[in-house]
Each structure stands twice: as structure tokens, then as C-alpha cells.
Amino acid sequence: MLKIAIIVGSTRPGRKAEAVARWVHSIASKRTDAQYEVVDIAQFNLPLLDEPVPPSMHKYSKPHTKAWAERIAPFDGFVFVTPEYNHGTSAALKNALDYLYVEWNNKAAGFVAYGSAGGTRAVEQLRLVMAELQIADVRAQVALSLFTDFENFSAFKPAAHQEKALGTMLDQLVAWSHAMRALRTRAADLQKLAA
Ligand SMILES: Cc1cc2nc3c(=O)[nH]c(=O)nc-3n(C[C@H](O)[C@H](O)[C@H](O)COP(=O)(O)O)c2cc1C
């Protein structure tokens, strides 16, 4: 069974990210194509990156890094639930991404974003980051509007069409997560042959 994490991309008190992630989980859980779990970066209390060695060297030294790596490693794909802060993603999500490397590599991702313009600028920025982390990001995305998907810019009340948009994104994410899992297996087999 594929494992897909729904990453809560804001750590702000009073954040909207939690309600959005719960909505993604409630719809995704009705599907039978993967196991979906909410992963809240706030629970890991990650300081601003404090590892002395670049994460791509995979020499994690801090307990919080090891705990975060252990949580992320088993997943085949990710739904990043992201706010838009100053036309980018949140510093908390970027920091959490920066902490790891191999745990992200050759996996797939889709985005659920929110903001005055559907969080689209945050997603465009994240797509550049995905390339460097070797994460294959799917085209379909969910763009939630602060004007029409949140009552009084606060209570989350997604418009009916957003559920369909989420379904399309998850269809693509599941397909690509399978493809990337096959790629990881093949890469591991080739490594064994070379050893
Ligand atoms: C520091 C900061 C910068 C923001 N910049 C933008 C922005 O550039 N575009 C936008 O659409 N909304 C912006 N907003 C509004 C957020 O989309 C809105 O506050 C949202 O609820 C933040 O997500 P969160 O509640 O999950 O943290 C900004 C909010 C904050 C706190």
C-alpha cells in the first residue's frame, strides 16, 4: 500500500493549515489507493536549521532532525498544505524541507494552497524547491481562495468544486508515487548489483 503524508505547512497560532489538512485527510481517507496520514511540522519543534553538515551528506546529528527524518522516510508521496506568505511558502515549511534530503528524494508531491490568489505564488516557489529535492510534483493543484473558501476570511468552508480539484490532484499524485516507488526500487537493485 502506498503511504502519502499530508504535511501541515504552517506553525502559526490560529493557523488555517490545520483545518485545510483535516479536510484533505477526510476526503483522501475515503479512497482505497493509498494510506493517508496528517504530519504536523509544528509537533517536531524544528529550530531554524542547526545541522552543521549539509543534509545531502546524510549525517544528521540532532535528535529533532533524526525524529523528523524517521517520520518522513516511510512515505511514498506528499501533499503539501501551504499558506502564502509574501508570495512564497511559509518559512516553517521551507525550513522543514531544508532539514532533510534523501528522505524526500525520488518521491512525488502535490499541493493544496490558500491565499488571496489561491496560494498559487507559494506553489510556484515550492515547485523550484521540489526540483532540487528530487521530488516529482504533479500538475494539478488545489487553489483555495481566502475570499470564497473561508467564511469571513476565517472559518474554512470550501466551495463544492474544490473537492473535485483535490480528487484530480490525488489521482495524479498516486500515479506518480507508484512510478517513483518503482524508480527507487530499480535504483536500489542497481546499487546492489554494483556493490
Ligand atoms: C507573514 C504573512 C504574509 C502574508 N502574505 C500573503 C501573501 O503574500 N499573499 C496572500 O495571499 N496572503 C498572504 N498572507 C495571508 C495568509 O494567506 C493568511 O493569513 C493565511 O491564513 C495564512 O495561513 P495560516 O493561517 O495557515 O498560517 C500573509 C500572512 C502572513 C502571516
Side-chain angles (χ1 to χ4, degrees):
M1 188 69 139
L2 277 185
K3 276 174 73 79
I4 296 193
I6 299 159
I7 310 266
V8 186
S10 167
T11 54
R12 203 177 60 84
R15 60 194 173 165
K16 293 188 175 62
E18 230 179 315
V20 175
R22 274 201 307 272
W23 171 74
V24 172
H25 187 256
S26 70
I27 291 164
S29 310
K30 292 182 203 143
R31 301 167 62 107
T32 52
D33 50 8
Q35 209 184 308
Y36 295 89
E37 273 177 60
V38 173
V39 173
D40 188 352
I41 55 180
Q43 286 178 355
F44 292 82
N45 292 317
L46 295 169
L48 279 178
L49 181 62
D50 62 352
E51 283 289 342
V53 177
S56 56
M57 311 287 283
H58 205 230
K59 293 200 167 92
Y60 304 150
S61 65
K62 309 279 166 134
H64 51 256
T65 314
K66 289 176 187 169
W68 179 231
E70 220 169 90
R71 186 72 178 109
I72 292 302
F75 289 104
D76 299 291
F78 308 99
V79 175
F80 291 108
V81 173
T82 181
E84 181 173 299
Y85 290 169
N86 297 315
H87 291 198
T89 191
S90 69
L93 177 56
K94 178 61 165 58
N95 188 51
L97 286 163
D98 289 345
Y99 255 98
L100 308 180
Y101 192 68
V102 71
E103 293 77 9
W104 302 120
N105 292 171
N106 296 321
K107 295 181 178 176
F111 305 99
V112 175
Y114 47 95
S116 58
T120 48
R121 295 164 293 213
V123 172
E124 287 303 296
Q125 191 193 62
L126 273 169
R127 289 185 187 282
L128 295 175
V129 177
M130 295 293 111
E132 185 54 19
L133 291 173
Q134 302 184 56
I135 297 177
D137 49 321
V138 302
R139 176 178 187 256
Q141 68 191 60
V142 181
L144 299 164
S145 164
L146 291 182
F147 298 100
T148 54
D149 294 306
F150 295 84
E151 212 170 68
N152 299 323
F153 297 94
S154 110
F156 183 43
K157 298 260 165 68
H161 69 93
Q162 298 293 8
E163 183 163 342
K164 188 162 179 271
L166 176 60
T168 305
M169 186 274 277
L170 291 173
D171 289 346
Q172 293 183 2
L173 177 59
V174 166
W176 281 27
S177 295
H178 273 295
M180 298 308 279
R181 183 151 82 173
L183 184 145
R184 291 199 305 282
T185 308
R186 171 111 180 100
D189 287 349
L190 287 174
Q191 250 176 9
K192 268 187 226 147
L193 279 175

